[in-house]
């Protein structure tokens, strides 16, 4: 057996479970535990080993086993049969425009009512179901096939304006997940495909959530979201 075959026989590969998205933020590695809706930052001593794991497509360096073992114990790493690409963060277009600066005007009452009902309904779901369950439910709902592109271009600003109107009634602080899930759900009801983006930053740690369509942020400003790195992107 030559050196290459011996190395392949001895190599150990591991990956991150699908329900545990992560991203690399500067020198930090941050996980989102979907089951508990909690964030985990790797200790500084383990972050370099995890970065080497990403660069080697999941192959563990013998010298890094000790640093990575706690991740196996917690279930944040699982053994896989061979090399596998491990992206550093979800892919999404960089935000370039937003509706915050646009003069959208007042939304028709029917849109304001639907935005309010969407947030009330989503608040009830968040109190009962986990985030993975809610996302699975949203993705499983059929999209209407009667909405044209022209209709969407007219409806989307109305939806954004409606959510901006009701945000004061529901509170703006620490409500980004509720608002964004509700907007994401309502857009799907209108047949409008958007992205729900959950993102983080470090030093100090902070998490944020918004809705985006292509490179346009629908319920926040580009200036605010550009400081965050996406950790989960849902279509």
């Amino acid at each position: 057996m030559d050196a290459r075959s011996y190395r392949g026989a001895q190599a150990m590969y591991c990956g991150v479970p699908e329900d545990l998205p992560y991203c690399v933020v500067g020198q930090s590695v941050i996980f989102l535990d979907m089951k508990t809706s909690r964030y985990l930052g790797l200790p500084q001593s383990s972050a370099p080993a995890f970065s080497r794991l990403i660069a080697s497509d999941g192959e563990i360096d013998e010298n890094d086993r000790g640093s990575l073992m706690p991740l196996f114990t917690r279930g944040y790493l699982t053994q896989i049969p061979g090399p596998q690409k491990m992206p550093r963060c979800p892919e999404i277009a960089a935000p370039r425009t937003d509706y915050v600066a646009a003069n959208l005007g007042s939304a028709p009452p029917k849109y304001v009512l639907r935005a309010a009902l969407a947030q009330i309904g989503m608040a009830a779901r968040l109190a009962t179901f986990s985030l993975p369950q809610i996302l699975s439910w949203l993705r499983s709902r059929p999209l209407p096939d009667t909405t044209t592109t022209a209709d969407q271009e007219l409806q989307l600003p109305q939806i954004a304006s409606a959510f901006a109107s009701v945000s004061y009634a529901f509170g703006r602080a620490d409500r980004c997940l509720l608002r964004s899930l509700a907007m994401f759900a309502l857009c799907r009801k209108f047949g409008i495909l958007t992205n729900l983006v959950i993102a983080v930053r470090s030093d100090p740690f902070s998490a944020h959530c918004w809705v985006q369509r292509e490179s346009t942020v629908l319920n926040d400003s580009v200036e605010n979201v550009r400081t965050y790195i996406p950790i989960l992107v849902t279509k």
Side-chain angles (χ1 to χ4, degrees):
M1 181 182 291
D2 60 27
R4 181 179 298 177
S5 299
Y6 178 79
R7 178 176 178 274
Q10 298 297 315
M12 177 180 176
Y13 295 91
C14 65
V16 179
E18 291 185 0
D19 61 352
L20 192 68
Y22 72 92
C23 66
V24 178
V25 186
Q27 300 299 314
S28 302
V29 181
I30 300 173
F31 291 88
L32 169 57
D33 188 335
M34 297 283 284
K35 296 177 182 177
T36 62
S37 297
R38 298 185 58 148
Y39 295 91
L40 168 73
L42 284 190
Q44 288 297 323
S45 58
S46 299
F50 187 82
S51 295
R52 287 189 288 272
L53 184 70
I54 296 173
S56 64
D57 295 339
E59 183 178 355
I60 297 181
D61 188 296
E62 280 296 324
N63 297 324
D64 291 333
R65 291 200 181 209
S67 298
L68 296 175
M69 192 53 62
L71 297 182
F72 277 101
T73 304
R74 288 186 160 190
Y76 291 116
L77 285 178
T78 57
Q79 191 167 353
I80 57 176
Q84 177 179 293
K85 287 290 182 184
M86 300 173 64
R88 287 177 174 260
C89 59
E91 294 184 0
I92 189 171
R96 299 184 183 278
T97 58
D98 59 59
Y99 279 161
V100 172
N103 185 17
L104 297 177
S106 300
K110 67 176 183 178
Y111 283 92
V112 176
L113 177 60
R114 296 196 71 169
L117 292 176
Q119 290 198 59
I120 293 171
M122 191 56 67
R125 287 190 174 276
L126 282 169
T128 307
F129 301 101
S130 67
L131 180 58
Q133 288 174 320
I134 292 173
L135 293 178
S136 177
W137 169 72
L138 287 171
R139 288 191 293 259
S140 68
R141 302 179 70 188
L143 292 169
D145 55 6
T146 57
T147 306
T148 66
T149 302
D151 290 335
Q152 294 178 10
E153 294 302 319
L154 292 173
Q155 292 168 341
L156 200 52
Q158 305 284 15
I159 294 172
S161 178
F163 272 90
S165 298
V166 301
S167 64
Y168 295 99
F170 286 88
R172 299 181 65 87
D174 300 325
R175 306 286 283 180
C176 60
L177 180 61
L178 169 60
R179 290 198 309 270
S180 297
L181 281 170
M183 175 180 275
F184 181 72
L186 188 56
C187 284
R188 289 183 67 86
K189 278 190 176 182
F190 279 96
I192 304 172
L193 290 176
T194 60
N195 292 117
L196 177 79
V197 184
I198 298 178
V200 294
R201 64 185 179 194
S202 60
D203 301 324
F205 173 81
S206 178
H208 192 37
C209 184
W210 67 88
V211 181
Q212 184 172 323
R213 190 185 191 206
E214 298 176 349
S215 61
T216 300
V217 180
L218 305 182
N219 61 340
D220 209 329
S221 68
V222 171
E223 181 180 1
N224 189 40
V225 306
R226 68 171 22 137
T227 61
Y228 290 87
I229 302 296
I231 193 171
L232 177 68
V233 176
T234 298
K235 296 180 180 180

